[in-house]
Amino acid sequence: MLPPLLTLTILLLTTPVTSQACRCTPASPCWPTPQEWTTLNTTLSGNLIATTPLASICHTNSPFSTYSSTSCAALRSTWPLPSTHYTSPSSPMAPWFGTFTCNPFSPPTAPCTLGPLVQNTVNATTVADYITTIRFTQTHNLRLVIHNTGHDYLGKSTGAHALALWTHHLKSIGIIANYTSVGYTGPAIKLGAGVQVIEAMAAAHEEGYVLVAGNCQSVGVADGYSQGGGHGQLASMFGLAADQVLEWEVVTAAGEVVVASPESNPDMYWALSGGGGGVFGAVVSMTSKVHLEVKTVTANLTVSAAGVSPEVFWEVAERFVAGVLDVTDKGGAAIWMVTNQTFEVTPVTVPGGTRGELEGEGFGYTYNIAEFPSFWDTYVEMNPLSNVTEAQIGGRLIPRSTVESNLTAFMGALRAIADYGTAISGVSLNVSRNGVPDNAVNPAWRDSAIDIVLGTTFDYYNRTADLANQKLMTDVLLPMLEELTSDGGAYLNEADIHQPDWQQVFYGDNYARLSAIKQRYDPNEMFYARTGVGSERWTELEDGRLCRVDGV
């Protein structure tokens, strides 16, 4: 009789991939037996983790943890912090994709269930862990998701009854002083799949470089952020994060480790560079361009609506939105937010710029403005810490032509949206100053002046209100912007989960090619993510099962 480990290895290598109508659940005959889970854990050196909801300590009716009012109070106080979730193998930050019955704010007597959370997680620390996990999911027809930090507004990194591949502890960072390829020669950085923005930027800065990375310090760089496009304060100067990528190291659905670059597996490279995370393969590492550090000028601005008429307040916002086009044309970018109470800029940044360039824009309002010897210094000093976004979001890319030719109507739409109590976030940028590389980034990015993200409130105590706010986003708020931007799209990482015609809105004319590449590398569609390429062929039933649309 063969030992269990060898038996599992043979099974993983020889069992054909199933094409059943639905992925298996604990109630299915195909669900792994306790012995099979134990053997898998042994193969993974103990890195298989059964999900325990973080908030199970807040519930008296929980099979996971013992109730503790003190521990629950402490958890409530840290629930908005990203670190509470990205250190967890299974907790998503977007509250809609957590378990509504088992959170710190639901009644202690509410039953604590997994709901939409994954069933088990593999803490992947090696490529072998990737291969083992992918083959195990194929053998047992399990739902597979890829999870890093949980920064995920569309629920791609979680799923009921799923086995999650947790990439968070792949933290390798290496600076390559002279990366050489057919299309690029220069400095680069190689990042493990779990490296977060602040870690990558600190490492690059130590060597005198900067890289395009997100405004939120705790986002994972190589996962959904770069694979989905990835903007930030340096995007006008150098392009989107996806535009920087030189190569990907990825494990395919066949369990093969491949390097995808413009010279090797170019179609996989093209798709991963902007076509969305979690659907083409499991990324192990990413190598991207870095750029020389540069002195930077940055400013923050806050304008209150108190004591002025709405007309004056919105005129301030309009003047900024129009004036900042000149800043983005110089390589700068602006992160701003407006409600019907305040207009905040946090911050506007011009790498290589001067104080005079920002002061000369003629906004006529008091800035907190400073010049810094490096971008790193301004990022640390002027960029506020980003907490969990407890909102239901929707997004729209605003073409430059709309700002230049139809600004009054655009600002009128923002004002009408704000009157619903909606928060409006904008990133003003120009990601095409240095040309347009050949990758899968939504073409709508290339002539966009602003990435707009709308947020309606989320109420942990009122599911009915949350559903109403989701419907408001889809049916009322976003259409106000879509009416003005018929040729626009949306950033696929910051969008409405119920966006109609999402294939065109998120991917543009690239969708057909992306779908073909998906079929080539993942013909049995083991990699599924909500609104990801190919996801229209699947549906999530009320009981959490993931089933083929034509096989329910």
Side-chain angles (χ1 to χ4, degrees):
M1 182 176 179
L2 294 173
L5 181 57
L6 182 56
T7 300
L8 176 67
T9 301
I10 293 173
L11 183 65
L12 292 174
L13 291 173
T14 61
T15 302
V17 174
T18 181
S19 58
Q20 297 177 29
C22 298
R23 298 298 183 214
C24 292
T25 72
S28 308
C30 54
W31 187 256
T33 66
Q35 180 58 49
E36 287 169 326
W37 285 114
T38 298
T39 306
L40 175 63
N41 189 37
T42 301
T43 307
L44 295 166
S45 302
N47 283 335
L48 181 66
I49 306 168
T51 297
T52 296
L54 287 179
S56 59
I57 56 174
C58 298
H59 295 266
T60 57
N61 185 11
S62 168
F64 305 102
S65 304
T66 301
Y67 173 73
S68 169
S69 60
T70 302
S71 298
C72 183
L75 181 63
R76 285 180 180 174
S77 69
T78 62
W79 196 252
L81 303 180
S83 58
T84 298
H85 304 277
Y86 69 66
T87 54
S88 163
S90 56
S91 183
M93 293 191 196
W96 188 260
F97 300 104
T99 169
F100 198 77
T101 61
C102 191
N103 67 67
F105 309 99
S106 54
T109 55
C112 180
T113 62
L114 291 181
L117 300 184
V118 299
Q119 194 84 20
N120 295 286
T121 296
V122 174
N123 179 16
T125 58
T126 66
V127 172
D129 291 342
Y130 274 59
I131 295 171
T132 298
T133 303
I134 290 170
R135 288 178 173 166
F136 188 82
T137 61
Q138 291 176 323
T139 297
H140 296 283
N141 191 35
L142 302 179
R143 180 176 179 179
L144 173 69
V145 299
I146 299 173
H147 179 88
N148 180 9
T149 63
H151 276 285
D152 173 17
Y153 296 117
L154 283 86
K156 294 182 176 182
S157 61
T158 193
H161 317 305
L163 177 61
L165 184 67
W166 193 25
T167 66
H168 184 61
H169 291 109
L170 293 169
K171 295 287 191 180
S172 62
I173 302 176
I175 298 293
I176 304 169
N178 192 33
Y179 180 96
T180 302
S181 67
V182 173
Y184 175 77
T185 298
I189 189 169
K190 184 175 182 179
L191 302 172
V195 175
Q196 293 166 271
V197 166
I198 198 69
E199 297 165 336
M201 292 187 66
H205 174 70
E206 287 182 5
E207 301 295 327
Y209 299 113
V210 296
L211 73 153
V212 175
N215 215 46
C216 180
Q217 300 86 344
S218 56
V219 165
V221 183
D223 276 337
Y225 168 74
S226 291
Q227 292 175 54
H231 63 53
Q233 295 179 46
L234 292 173
S236 294
M237 181 62 70
F238 303 119
L240 295 169
D243 300 339
Q244 315 303 307
V245 180
L246 299 166
E247 63 181 56
W248 303 92
E249 181 186 10
V250 58
V251 179
T252 68
E256 298 175 344
V257 183
V258 302
V259 173
S261 71
E263 292 82 43
S264 176
N265 300 294
D267 52 351
M268 173 69 87
Y269 168 81
W270 182 86
L272 286 172
S273 303
V279 294
F280 301 103
V283 168
V284 178
S285 70
M286 176 187 78
T287 302
S288 292
K289 299 174 186 177
V290 290
H291 308 272
L292 290 174
E293 263 284 17
V294 61
K295 70 176 183 178
T296 303
V297 60
T298 303
N300 289 344
L301 166 70
T302 299
V303 177
S304 172
V308 299
S309 69
E311 287 71 25
V312 170
F313 173 76
W314 282 98
E315 182 184 352
V316 172
E318 181 172 331
R319 290 181 62 190
F320 179 88
V321 169
V324 82
L325 289 177
D326 291 336
V327 173
T328 63
D329 287 345
K330 296 172 183 175
I335 316 296
W336 49 271
M337 177 173 287
V338 62
T339 68
N340 55 12
Q341 299 297 319
T342 61
F343 178 73
E344 299 178 282
V345 182
T346 56
V348 55
T349 304
V350 184
T354 66
R355 185 186 186 106
E357 285 178 303
L358 281 186
E359 290 177 333
E361 289 303 326
F363 301 132
Y365 304 99
T366 303
Y367 288 93
N368 175 17
I369 187 169
E371 292 180 345
F372 294 87
S374 69
F375 178 79
W376 168 257
D377 290 310
T378 185
Y379 188 84
V380 172
E381 180 70 24
M382 300 288 278
N383 186 43
L385 290 174
S386 299
N387 283 339
V388 172
T389 300
E390 292 183 324
Q392 298 174 109
I393 72 165
R396 192 72 178 175
L397 294 171
I398 308 302
R400 184 172 182 131
S401 59
T402 299
V403 179
E404 291 179 329
S405 304
N406 205 10
L407 182 59
T408 299
F410 170 60
M411 296 305 297
L414 294 189
R415 182 172 174 179
I417 290 168
D419 284 342
Y420 281 90
T422 306
I424 303 166
S425 173
V427 180
S428 294
L429 72 181
N430 179 346
V431 302
S432 301
R433 293 176 62 254
N434 298 313
V436 178
D438 183 19
N439 59 28
V441 165
N442 187 343
W445 272 107
R446 301 310 181 181
D447 61 355
S448 292
I450 311 171
D451 174 31
I452 290 287
V453 177
L454 310 179
T456 59
T457 58
F458 181 90
D459 189 340
Y460 284 100
Y461 302 96
N462 193 335
R463 191 74 159 184
T464 300
D466 295 334
L467 288 167
N469 277 330
Q470 278 196 341
K471 186 173 178 59
L472 175 70
M473 179 66 70
T474 305
D475 296 346
V476 178
L477 303 180
L478 284 175
M480 294 187 199
L481 297 178
E482 292 163 0
E483 184 179 353
L484 299 171
T485 59
S486 58
D487 56 344
Y491 180 21
L492 62 84
N493 285 337
E494 298 178 350
D496 177 16
I497 187 65
H498 300 296
Q499 175 69 52
D501 192 22
W502 55 266
Q503 293 95 331
Q504 180 65 35
V505 174
F506 296 171
Y507 302 93
D509 293 339
N510 290 336
Y511 194 79
R513 181 179 174 187
L514 286 167
S515 186
I517 294 171
K518 164 79 170 172
Q519 286 296 303
R520 175 184 174 187
Y521 285 96
D522 185 19
N524 290 290
E525 300 185 334
M526 291 306 302
F527 294 106
Y528 165 86
R530 295 179 180 96
T531 69
V533 173
S535 62
E536 70 273 13
R537 294 185 284 272
W538 295 84
T539 186
E540 297 181 55
L541 305 184
E542 289 187 7
D543 63 2
R545 284 182 298 156
L546 180 65
C547 298
R548 295 182 185 273
V549 171
D550 58 358
V552 177

